[in-house]
Amino acid sequence: MTDTPLTLFNSLTRKVEPFAPVHAGEARVYTCGPTVYNYPHIGNMRAYVFADVLGRTLSFKGFKLTHIINITDVGHLTDDADDGEDKMEKMASEKAQSIWDVAQHYTQAYWADVKALNIREPAKWSVATDYIKEMLEFARSIADKHCYQCETGLYFDVTTVEDYGRLARAVTEDGAEETRGRIDTVEGKRNAADFAIWRKTPAGETRQMEWDSPWGKGAPGWHLECSVMGEKLLGFPFDIHTGGIDHREIHHPNEIAQNQAFCGCGGLSDARNSGANIWMHNNFLVERSGKMSKSSGEFLRLQLLLDKGYHPLAYRMMCLQAHYRSELEFSWKGLDAALTRIKRMVMMVERLGDAPPQPVAEHPKFASALAKFETAISDDLGTPIALTALEDALAVKKVDAGIKRAVIEHMDAVLGLGLFDLTREALRIRPKDAQTSETEIEDALARRKAARAKKDFAASDAIRDELAAQHVDVMDGDPLGWEWKLT
Ligand code: AMP
Ligand code: ZN
């Protein structure tokens, strides 16, 4: 276990708090996973890069990590506050496919992105539809005291628990209450913020996904799923619950209300009554032109980045360069810079050759980089500074390559860039629409080199122009030694 205590920002208390595990030596983390009705966009993936860095940091600190990420394949409506259609049903009917096939396809696509971004596999991917029985039991146990039925299903009465919405109110940091425009369209709802924990199938209709329940045939509400899987797989209270910042508004306050009901209704001055000791939220990746929206044609998926010639780990680097609680603005220029930065690191690492790693001893030359890294990452996951500590370590000169390798591996275990598995070639991805093959480029460059050797600068320039016309930028004297790149 490393020395500096880990502190994390708790959205529930609005404070940076020391991490004190519920079970000594362990860390139990639940992350709200994707709704698998469409491909994830890169903003969604920021949420999992953040959760991954959190998990890696907990492991780095010596805690035995149990991380759960769920897959939502039922119940998430087009509006988080119980309005609209089930996202899965909607997509399945648009594609004229079964929901199960839709879920299968997009779960696989999500897992491919997870892998490409070096996000570690959690202990379990919990799939919502595998927990229907447990959801019914949970709902039954709180129904009498906290729920009521109306035409469309079983609703949770938010006035039956103390402090409802405390997490959402935290959004206005000055403590002023947010007046959120909750849609109050459901007939028979007692309070605008009440939410469905079981949605009845309307009379005369059949849904592709529906189950029998004491409240009629239907499907669970989205918020119920996460409460139930968190409780079943990690036990209340567990250590940390994560999600994107939008979940502070509705999804997590509703989960918390259910958890309070399940745990005996204590107020939220004691965080344990919320089901988890710490609630953490990553801020959004934003893109001004609206390409982040899944409803826009060419939305920003990881595959689009690859098609344009960016290695997925350049995007991971981009995420690490911002603190998870800051908004991150996406731009291609920013992604270029992140790619250059990771290339630079890979080049330095390649220079270390195959030196066998030595133990990360108290080597004086690395002491300050290691201390800087440790302090940064322990301070609410300060990845931007941790990256500079890694660069400091890479820049240390006249030192045993094996020790350096060990120090870099030590830091990369948290950052997850996989620097020792990357190569320059792997980072040089050809955009999908590139016309010229790599061999053609290399041939042209060899001809150009020969022309320059003969001081035939006219020929050399002509080849350069030829390549530029094919979007190949020749980079003479490039400090990275990359020689060419596709533009
Ligand atoms: P969803 O599949 O819509 O449930 O979203 C999956 C995760 O992505 C959730 O944790 C969201 O809070 C998070 N998320 C959605 N949009 C963004 C974004 N633009 N930037 C960062 N996280 C996001
Ligand atoms: Zn959730």
Side-chain angles (χ1 to χ4, degrees), residues 31-37 40-48 72 76 80 87 222 242-247 282-286 292 294 315:
T31 293
C32 283
T35 305
V36 284
Y37 72 105
H41 56 53
I42 56 170
N44 297 133
M45 297 314 293
R46 184 182 187 200
Y48 307 109
T72 294
H76 193 171
D80 284 359
K87 289 188 181 193
W222 173 42
T242 84
I245 202 166
D246 53 330
H247 289 347
N282 63 278
N283 210 323
F284 264 28
L285 178 80
V286 292
M292 198 71 82
K294 293 185 189 181
Y315 177 63

Side-chain angles (χ1 to χ4, degrees), residues 30-279:
Y30 184 94
T31 293
C32 283
T35 305
V36 284
Y37 72 105
N38 204 336
Y39 296 105
H41 56 53
I42 56 170
N44 297 133
M45 297 314 293
R46 184 182 187 200
Y48 307 109
V49 169
F50 148 66
D52 181 55
V53 171
L54 172 66
R56 285 169 177 270
T57 303
L58 290 160
S59 301
F60 173 78
K61 293 274 177 192
F63 297 103
K64 183 178 162 282
L65 175 71
T66 310
H67 194 174
I68 303 293
I69 306 181
N70 75 284
I71 302 286
T72 294
D73 56 352
V74 66
H76 193 171
L77 303 193
T78 44
D79 183 288
D80 284 359
D82 283 327
D83 204 35
E85 295 169 72
D86 184 303
K87 289 188 181 193
M88 300 292 305
E89 293 261 357
K90 184 165 180 270
M91 183 53 103
S93 76
E94 273 168 29
K95 295 187 125 199
Q97 280 180 358
S98 91
I99 296 198
W100 306 98
D101 290 347
V102 170
Q104 170 81 4
H105 177 77
Y106 293 115
T107 303
Q108 295 294 341
Y110 165 67
W111 282 340
D113 285 3
V114 160
K115 191 155 188 272
L117 289 168
N118 280 354
I119 293 167
R120 295 195 307 185
E121 291 264 330
K124 190 174 176 69
W125 298 106
S126 60
V127 179
T129 47
D130 290 344
Y131 290 84
I132 301 294
K133 191 170 131 281
E134 289 81 355
M135 290 181 209
L136 289 169
E137 274 164 22
F138 189 112
R140 225 181 266 127
S141 76
I142 61 170
D144 285 353
K145 272 170 111 178
H146 300 276
C147 305
Y148 59 92
Q149 287 195 61
C150 44
E151 192 55 34
T152 49
L154 184 70
Y155 281 75
F156 190 97
D157 180 339
V158 299
T159 62
T160 62
V161 289
E162 254 180 76
D163 301 326
Y164 174 76
R166 180 186 275 219
L167 185 74
R169 285 198 294 276
V171 172
T172 59
E173 301 288 342
D174 59 0
E177 278 210 22
E178 281 261 286
T179 38
R180 276 161 297 136
R182 275 294 160 89
I183 308 154
D184 192 12
T185 48
V186 177
E187 194 136 339
K189 248 168 79 161
R190 291 182 191 159
N191 313 289
D194 290 353
F195 56 91
I197 64 174
W198 189 262
R199 293 175 304 113
K200 262 199 310 205
T201 306
E205 276 183 32
T206 3
R207 285 190 185 136
Q208 280 197 50
M209 278 182 175
E210 55 181 12
W211 295 265
D212 287 325
S213 88
W215 316 285
K217 220 181 239 315
W222 173 42
H223 319 299
L224 182 65
E225 301 172 6
C226 287
S227 279
V228 170
M229 291 186 276
E231 195 276 324
K232 278 287 154 213
L233 297 165
L234 299 174
F236 286 153
F238 52 86
D239 295 297
I240 305 173
H241 195 309
T242 84
I245 202 166
D246 53 330
H247 289 347
R248 292 204 307 199
E249 296 290 318
I250 296 170
H251 182 46
H252 288 172
N254 291 356
E255 257 191 67
I256 289 174
Q258 293 167 154
N259 299 354
Q260 281 177 278
F262 187 84
C263 295
C265 283
L268 298 179
S269 314
D270 185 346
R272 282 175 304 180
N273 295 324
S274 72
N277 272 355
I278 301 186
W279 292 76

